[in-house]
């Protein structure tokens, strides 16, 4: 059961103390308080864990400071959608709204290689009206002998250059808890010219200690990729791990599944799950067409498979697109084979806009017919 406290609930106030006394007196119930610092206001949610069936909603509702009560099912307690659950399906970060109703494109480098390429990438984004990007500094690679990313060494120039070009959020994978501190310190050092969305890669979806560490901090929102060899339920529970530690500003990312059934794509594209994740949870859904398709193959009419897969997800309501571009793919140190060219950015964005428009028209038609 979740108690959502009224906006002016003061943890030092008398009403709050009375509430806590009442809750701690409930037999067999564990009380966990989450304070979610939003851009506009802070929300306090109190989780009651244990056998909450005997608790009467109206009685809980009548306790001091309580604004609303949500009885949750066992699944995805914090992030899930529950009956009579009007909790939001969006969050704000860096002045941007990330929700199940918005769409942001994060085009950028799979892996940062040189400051010149970061500069060219960010300039192209600015010229095309973009304020988000992806920049990999810590790269989890299959072979220990492959380039592992520049790590901490590139952070200052990445943040400086991105900020100079008006980039507000950079999606950046972390593979270890210490990377979060490195990112935080580099942002402070450079005067916070931009923001970061921490990325949990598909290989780390069930790295529970990393999930807990990223969940304990509330400064950065998190993009968690679906694990490429586990069920959707297991991946959604991985997101719930972070939320249970306190950070529920989470975007869920689909990036394809590991199986030969999807050949000749690098992974089996799983974007039919976009509406499924939106139905089961309140998380915005991201898709990564680059790591799922993995090639620059083109269909007979001339459209790249990467763009087809993107459009298929956007027309189904995807909220974020994480996509690899590179100014000079043959020299890219990671995943050059799937990178789009900077000259393809205007077409990519136009294609996304066409699919988004079609999605909005489809949703409007569905609403119209529901009223018939
Ligand atoms: C990435 O986005 O750079 C990446 C490595 O993705 P994934 O974890 O989905 O393989
Ligand atoms: Mn990659």
């Amino acid at each position: 059961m979740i108690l959502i406290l009224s906006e002016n609930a003061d943890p030092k106030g008398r009403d709050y103390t009375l509430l806590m006394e009442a809750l701690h007196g409930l037999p067999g119930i564990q009380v966990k308080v989450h304070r979610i610092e939003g851009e506009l206001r802070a929300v306090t949610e109190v989780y009651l864990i244990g056998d909450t069936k005997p608790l009467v909603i109206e009685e809980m509702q009548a306790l001091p400071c309580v604004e609303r009560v949500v009885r949750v099912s066992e699944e995805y307690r914090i992030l899930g959608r529950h009956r009579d659950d009007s909790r939001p399906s969006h969050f704000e970060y860096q002045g941007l709204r990330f929700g199940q109703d918005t769409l942001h494109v994060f085009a950028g480098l799979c892996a940062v290689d040189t400051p010149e390429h970061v500069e060219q990438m960010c300039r192209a984004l600015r010229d095309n009206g973009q304020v988000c990007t992806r920049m990999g500094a810590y790269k989890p690679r299959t072979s220990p002998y492959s380039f592992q990313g520049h790590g901490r060494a590139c952070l200052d120039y990445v943040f400086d250059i991105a900020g100079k070009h008006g980039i507000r959020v950079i999606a950046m994978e972390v593979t270890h808890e210490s990377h979060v501190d490195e990112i935080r310190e580099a942002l402070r050092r450079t005067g916070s010219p931009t923001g970061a969305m921490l990325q949990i890669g598909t290989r780390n979806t069930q790295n529970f200690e990393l999930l807990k560490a990223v969940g304990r901090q509330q400064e950065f929102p998190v993009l968690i990729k679906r694990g490429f060899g586990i069920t959707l339920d297991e991946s959604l529970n991985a997101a719930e791990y972070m939320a249970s530690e306190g950070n529920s500003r989470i975007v869920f990312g689909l990036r394809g599944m590991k199986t030969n059934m999807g050949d000749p794509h690098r992974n089996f594209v799983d974007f039919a799950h976009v509406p499924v994740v939106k139905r089961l949870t309140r998380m915005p859904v991201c898709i990564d067409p680059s790591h799922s398709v993995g090639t620059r193959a083109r269909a007979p009419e001339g459209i790249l498979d990467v763009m087809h897969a993107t459009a298929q997800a956007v027309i189904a309501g995807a909220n974020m697109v994480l996509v690899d571009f590179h100014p000079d793919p043959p020299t890219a140190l990671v995943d050059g084979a799937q990178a789009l060219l900077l000259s393809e950015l205007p077409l990519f964005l136009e294609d996304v806009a066409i699919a988004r428009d079609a999605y909005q028209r489809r949703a409007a038609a569905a609403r119209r017919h529901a009223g018939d």
Side-chain angles (χ1 to χ4, degrees):
M1 181 174 277
I2 304 176
L3 312 184
I4 296 147
L5 304 194
S6 50
E7 205 177 326
N8 49 11
D10 172 10
K12 294 191 194 78
R14 186 178 140 72
D15 279 354
Y16 189 91
T17 310
L18 288 173
L19 170 69
M20 287 302 145
E21 274 171 18
L23 297 181
H24 286 292
L26 296 171
I29 299 285
Q30 200 196 326
V31 180
K32 224 171 161 182
V33 179
H34 283 249
R35 202 169 156 79
I36 302 147
E37 299 288 346
E39 208 118 295
L40 299 175
R41 64 182 195 127
V43 178
T44 308
E45 295 184 348
V46 181
Y47 296 90
L48 302 183
I49 301 157
D51 183 14
T52 56
K53 279 193 207 77
L55 303 181
V56 180
I57 296 244
E58 289 72 25
E59 285 175 13
M60 304 312 289
Q61 189 99 52
L63 290 171
C65 297
V66 175
E67 185 177 289
R68 251 170 329 118
V69 179
V70 180
R71 195 184 278 288
V72 297
S73 56
E74 285 307 299
E75 286 207 316
Y76 327 128
R77 290 177 190 204
I78 300 174
L79 297 171
R81 285 185 179 279
H82 307 290
R83 207 151 54 86
D84 301 324
D85 184 358
S86 57
R87 290 177 299 158
S89 54
H90 67 265
F91 61 84
E92 314 278 333
Y93 179 61
Q94 289 281 103
L96 300 178
R97 175 187 169 108
F98 292 89
Q100 289 196 338
D101 56 350
T102 59
L103 176 63
H104 297 284
V105 174
F106 282 62
L109 304 179
C110 175
V112 172
D113 43 20
T114 67
E116 291 72 30
H117 287 155
V118 175
E119 171 77 30
Q120 287 168 30
M121 186 71 236
C122 291
R123 196 178 319 125
L125 290 167
R126 185 199 55 198
D127 291 347
N128 284 277
Q130 298 301 297
V131 293
C132 299
T133 189
R134 58 157 295 147
M135 292 281 159
Y138 308 94
K139 299 304 301 177
R141 304 303 303 283
T142 303
S143 163
Y145 309 113
S146 302
F147 173 63
Q148 307 282 312
H150 288 310
R152 190 158 77 111
C154 71
L155 296 181
D156 288 24
Y157 71 74
V158 167
F159 295 154
D160 272 336
I161 295 170
K164 192 178 79 187
H165 291 288
I167 298 294
R168 288 201 248 164
V169 186
I170 303 177
M172 184 174 275
E173 180 162 355
V174 292
T175 57
H176 190 273
E177 190 178 342
S178 59
H179 300 160
V180 183
D181 299 327
E182 292 177 4
I183 290 172
R184 185 184 299 110
E185 283 156 20
L187 279 172
R188 299 255 153 89
R189 246 192 334 269
T190 52
S192 300
T194 185
M197 181 181 284
L198 306 177
Q199 202 176 310
I200 301 289
T202 194
R203 293 160 188 79
N204 275 316
T205 308
Q206 285 190 313
N207 181 342
F208 297 113
E209 295 312 315
L210 180 62
L211 295 176
K212 286 194 237 171
V214 167
R216 276 193 296 272
Q217 63 79 40
Q218 295 211 11
E219 185 171 352
F220 305 111
V222 184
L223 164 64
I224 181 171
K225 298 276 199 90
R226 174 186 192 164
F228 55 25
I230 57 176
T231 64
L232 182 63
D233 173 62
E234 286 164 332
S235 291
L236 295 178
N237 268 301
E240 186 74 13
Y241 254 94
M242 294 189 286
S244 75
E245 292 292 328
N247 189 356
S248 47
R249 295 199 292 175
I250 304 174
V251 178
F252 188 80
L254 298 171
R255 49 81 70 214
M257 303 299 291
K258 219 175 186 40
T259 159
N260 286 349
M261 304 293 266
D263 290 353
H265 289 161
R266 180 174 172 183
N267 287 283
F268 192 66
V269 181
D270 55 351
F271 298 168
H273 280 176
V274 167
V276 177
V277 177
K278 290 172 80 172
R279 180 173 73 237
L280 294 175
T281 77
R282 298 177 293 111
M283 289 184 279
V285 181
C286 174
I287 53 111
D288 178 341
S290 305
H291 289 84
S292 43
V293 171
T295 77
R296 287 186 47 86
R298 210 179 274 278
E301 83 290 273
I303 301 175
L304 290 167
D305 286 12
V306 166
M307 293 203 198
H308 268 303
T310 303
Q312 286 156 12
V314 172
I315 205 171
N319 307 112
M320 178 169 155
V321 178
L322 189 76
V323 55
D324 290 3
F325 275 73
H326 196 281
D328 184 23
T331 65
L333 297 176
V334 184
D335 286 347
Q338 68 197 25
L340 303 186
L341 310 172
L342 297 191
S343 58
E344 289 168 328
L345 183 58
L347 171 62
F348 184 84
L349 294 171
E350 186 178 337
D351 206 34
V352 166
I354 292 169
R356 177 69 178 171
D357 181 54
Y359 165 69
Q360 280 167 331
R361 284 168 40 209
R362 292 176 65 223
R367 280 194 298 273
R368 214 168 44 242
H369 285 274
D372 284 351

XYZ file of all heavy atoms in Angstrom, residues 110 134 136 139-140 173 199-203 225-226 228 255 266 288 291 322 324 335, ligand 1:
190
model
N 28.082 6.425 -29.972
C 28.060 5.213 -29.153
C 29.186 5.327 -28.130
O 28.980 5.112 -26.941
C 28.258 3.968 -30.030
S 28.380 2.476 -29.052
N 23.505 11.167 -26.818
C 24.106 10.042 -26.107
C 25.617 10.143 -26.310
O 26.086 10.500 -27.398
C 23.582 8.695 -26.602
C 23.776 8.379 -28.070
C 23.745 6.884 -28.345
N 24.864 6.211 -27.699
C 24.833 4.981 -27.213
N 23.740 4.266 -27.317
N 25.896 4.456 -26.638
N 28.926 7.746 -25.004
C 29.435 6.649 -24.180
C 30.863 6.919 -23.730
O 31.757 7.115 -24.558
N 32.516 1.911 -21.662
C 31.942 0.952 -22.604
C 32.112 -0.485 -22.133
O 33.242 -0.946 -21.970
C 32.622 1.094 -23.984
C 32.461 2.447 -24.643
C 31.014 2.865 -24.810
C 30.175 1.921 -25.645
N 28.760 2.388 -25.697
N 31.040 -1.207 -21.928
C 31.161 -2.630 -21.579
C 31.381 -3.411 -22.870
O 30.515 -3.423 -23.738
C 29.769 -2.932 -20.995
C 28.847 -1.963 -21.681
C 29.644 -0.776 -22.100
N 26.243 5.671 -20.202
C 26.235 4.412 -19.453
C 27.232 4.439 -18.305
O 28.322 5.011 -18.419
C 26.569 3.238 -20.403
C 26.577 1.903 -19.674
C 26.468 0.694 -20.580
O 26.287 0.866 -21.805
O 26.556 -0.426 -20.056
N 22.864 5.539 -17.718
C 22.350 4.401 -18.491
C 22.846 3.110 -17.855
O 24.025 2.984 -17.546
C 22.917 4.560 -19.909
C 22.184 3.868 -21.002
C 22.832 4.220 -22.361
O 23.055 5.391 -22.668
N 23.157 3.221 -23.147
N 21.919 2.179 -17.621
C 22.303 0.824 -17.192
C 22.194 -0.036 -18.439
O 21.113 -0.183 -19.013
C 21.357 0.281 -16.103
C 21.348 1.189 -14.860
C 21.719 -1.153 -15.731
C 22.611 1.156 -14.041
N 23.311 -0.599 -18.869
C 23.333 -1.354 -20.117
C 22.688 -2.720 -19.979
O 22.457 -3.219 -18.866
N 22.417 -3.316 -21.118
C 21.725 -4.609 -21.141
C 22.503 -5.696 -20.382
O 21.913 -6.607 -19.829
C 21.468 -5.041 -22.595
O 20.526 -6.100 -22.606
C 22.745 -5.481 -23.317
N 23.824 -5.571 -20.358
C 24.643 -6.581 -19.656
C 24.565 -6.418 -18.147
O 24.968 -7.301 -17.402
C 26.093 -6.488 -20.129
C 26.286 -6.896 -21.562
C 27.588 -6.350 -22.150
N 27.650 -6.610 -23.571
C 27.022 -5.901 -24.509
N 26.286 -4.852 -24.150
N 27.128 -6.207 -25.780
N 18.274 -0.411 -19.683
C 18.009 -1.216 -20.872
C 17.460 -2.570 -20.439
O 17.913 -3.144 -19.439
C 19.305 -1.440 -21.654
C 19.978 -0.173 -22.183
C 19.376 0.262 -23.492
C 20.287 1.189 -24.252
N 21.210 0.546 -25.156
N 16.560 -3.088 -21.245
C 16.070 -4.441 -21.006
C 17.231 -5.429 -21.149
O 18.048 -5.291 -22.054
C 15.011 -4.748 -22.058
C 14.525 -6.158 -22.005
C 13.598 -6.430 -23.166
N 12.936 -7.687 -22.925
C 11.856 -8.092 -23.567
N 11.329 -7.343 -24.511
N 11.303 -9.243 -23.295
N 19.162 -8.494 -22.437
C 18.946 -9.114 -23.751
C 18.683 -10.618 -23.703
O 18.329 -11.215 -24.706
C 20.033 -8.769 -24.760
C 21.468 -9.061 -24.354
C 21.812 -10.012 -23.421
C 22.497 -8.349 -24.972
C 23.127 -10.258 -23.088
C 23.825 -8.590 -24.654
C 24.130 -9.539 -23.704
N 15.959 -2.743 -26.506
C 17.141 -2.707 -27.377
C 17.382 -4.017 -28.114
O 18.453 -4.274 -28.612
C 18.377 -2.288 -26.573
C 18.597 -3.020 -25.285
C 19.244 -4.375 -25.446
N 20.624 -4.206 -25.851
C 21.258 -5.036 -26.662
N 20.628 -6.121 -27.138
N 22.525 -4.837 -27.009
N 21.253 -7.602 -35.692
C 22.168 -7.947 -34.599
C 21.396 -8.566 -33.425
O 21.881 -9.463 -32.745
C 22.880 -6.654 -34.173
C 23.860 -6.789 -33.053
C 24.595 -5.452 -32.850
N 25.413 -5.458 -31.665
C 26.118 -4.427 -31.221
N 26.102 -3.279 -31.885
N 26.842 -4.518 -30.138
N 16.110 1.605 -28.709
C 17.446 1.776 -29.275
C 17.497 0.985 -30.577
O 17.710 -0.235 -30.560
C 18.486 1.274 -28.271
C 19.908 1.381 -28.816
O 20.070 1.494 -30.053
O 20.856 1.320 -28.016
N 21.413 -0.590 -31.511
C 21.936 -1.836 -30.942
C 21.026 -3.027 -31.227
O 21.449 -4.162 -31.077
C 22.189 -1.666 -29.442
C 23.375 -0.778 -29.188
N 23.271 0.585 -29.162
C 24.685 -1.070 -29.017
C 24.470 1.107 -28.969
N 25.352 0.122 -28.871
N 17.141 6.339 -28.621
C 18.590 6.413 -28.383
C 19.244 5.842 -29.628
O 19.044 4.667 -29.945
C 18.916 5.542 -27.170
C 20.309 5.611 -26.585
C 20.481 6.902 -25.781
C 20.568 4.419 -25.667
N 22.659 5.707 -32.524
C 24.074 5.975 -32.793
C 24.267 6.771 -34.082
O 23.773 6.376 -35.152
C 24.834 4.650 -32.978
C 24.992 3.845 -31.704
O 24.471 4.271 -30.652
O 25.643 2.777 -31.767
N 31.193 0.150 -32.719
C 29.908 0.099 -33.436
C 29.756 1.040 -34.626
O 28.652 1.540 -34.893
C 28.748 0.363 -32.448
C 28.496 -0.856 -31.547
O 29.028 -1.941 -31.855
O 27.769 -0.703 -30.552
C 24.939 1.347 -25.592
O 23.836 1.934 -25.649
O 26.017 1.901 -25.800
C 24.973 -0.082 -25.266
C 26.106 -0.716 -25.006
O 23.756 -0.632 -25.298
P 23.266 -2.055 -24.751
O 23.530 -2.051 -23.288
O 21.813 -2.060 -25.109
O 24.051 -3.097 -25.513
